[in-house]
Amino acid sequence: AVRRRDACGAQVARRNPLMLRLGRILLLALFAPVAFASAAVRLAPGVPLLVPAGTPASVRLAVEDLRRDLQKVFGAPSPIVEDPAALRGRSAIVVLGATGGPAGLHHAGITGREAHGFHVRDFGGTAHVVLEGADPRGTIFALYSFADEILGVPPLWFWSGWNPARRELIDVPSGTERIFPPAYVRWRAWFNNDTDFLTPWRERSPAHDHAVYETVLRLKYNTYEIGSVADLRAGAPRFAANRDAAGALRRVVRAGKP
C-alpha cells in the first residue's frame, strides 16, 4: 500500500507541470474579461473634456457638438478643462491636434492629411479616451467618429428625428485603437438638389446653417457645393462656412485648396 501511494505520488508529480500550464490557461480564460473590463475607460454622466489651450476655433465648434451629444446620451453636461491637473486623476475625453497636449497621448499612426482616430492612452496613471487628428479637420472628424461609434450618434441625426438611448455608463476597452488614415479621395463633396428651397431654410436660422455644415463634416466630406457653377480658376474666390459670431471658419470649400 505504501509503495502504491509512492508510485501514485510520483505519477502525480510528473504530471504537475502539465496540469499547472493547463491551470494557468484556464485562469487566463476565466479572468481575462474581468481584467479587460476593469482596465476600460469608464465614461459616466459629466465626463470632462480636456481641450488644450490653442485648440482652433473650428475644432471648438465640433467640441460643442460633442458636448451636446454627451448630454443627450448621459443626461448631464460635460465640463471643458484645459489643464490636465484639473482632472485630479479622473478619466477624461482628450481632444488632441498634431501639436499641444501631453506628448505621451499622441498616436504614431495618425499622420497625413485629415488622418484621425480615437484610442485609449494612459497619462499620469489614469486611462483616457483620446480623440486625435493630424490637422484641424482631422481632429473634427475624430470627434464625430467617436460620437458615431461609441455614443451611437448617427451623422444624419438632425434630419431623421433621432433621439439617443439614455446611458448611465459606457466602457471603452483599454485596447481601443480606431485609426483612420488619409482618405484615398482628396475632395469629397455633398451636392444638394433643390438648393432654391434649401437656401431660404438655411438663412432662416443660424441653427439651420450650423446643421448643414455639421452634417457635411460628420459624413467626413470636405467640400460643399454653394452655387451651381464651379469656378476652378486659380484666382477664383474660395467659400467657407462661418459658424460662430467670432468669425471662426469651418474650412468647408466648394473647390480649390482649403
Side-chain angles (χ1 to χ4, degrees), residues 3-199:
R3 285 194 299 272
R4 186 176 299 145
R5 287 197 296 271
D6 291 341
C8 290
Q11 289 177 8
V12 172
R14 284 195 297 270
R15 291 176 183 172
N16 270 343
L18 177 59
M19 294 175 67
L20 286 172
R21 284 195 294 271
L22 289 173
R24 291 191 187 102
I25 292 172
L26 288 172
L27 285 171
L28 286 173
L30 288 171
F31 291 104
V34 176
F36 189 76
S38 65
V41 178
R42 175 154 289 185
L43 305 180
V47 57
L49 285 87
L50 177 60
V51 183
T55 297
S58 57
V59 175
R60 290 183 180 273
L61 288 170
V63 169
E64 291 304 315
D65 294 340
L66 179 60
R67 292 184 71 205
R68 180 193 60 217
D69 295 343
L70 287 166
Q71 183 156 3
K72 284 185 176 181
V73 171
F74 287 127
S78 289
I80 293 178
V81 299
E82 293 188 350
D83 184 1
L87 296 175
R88 301 179 184 274
R90 185 181 181 186
S91 293
I93 298 171
V94 182
V95 178
L96 202 60
T99 59
L105 295 180
H106 288 276
H107 192 291
I110 299 179
T111 58
R113 187 176 187 268
E114 296 180 350
H116 60 283
F118 56 88
H119 52 93
V120 172
R121 281 287 186 274
D122 184 88
F123 178 73
T126 304
H128 304 283
V129 179
V130 182
L131 316 182
E132 182 179 358
D135 50 35
R137 191 180 295 141
T139 307
I140 292 169
F141 290 162
L143 270 67
Y144 291 143
S145 295
F146 173 81
D148 182 13
E149 298 191 19
I150 302 300
L151 301 182
V153 181
L156 296 173
W157 71 270
F158 181 87
W159 314 95
S160 62
W162 171 89
N163 287 302
R166 185 61 59 85
R167 306 281 295 275
E168 293 297 326
L169 295 171
I170 296 178
D171 285 333
V172 183
S174 61
T176 299
E177 285 195 352
R178 190 75 167 97
I179 308 302
F180 299 85
Y184 291 111
V185 179
R186 177 162 184 169
W187 299 110
R188 305 174 303 281
W190 186 9
F191 296 95
N192 287 302
N193 291 322
D194 298 321
T195 55
D196 51 336
F197 295 108
L198 180 63
T199 299

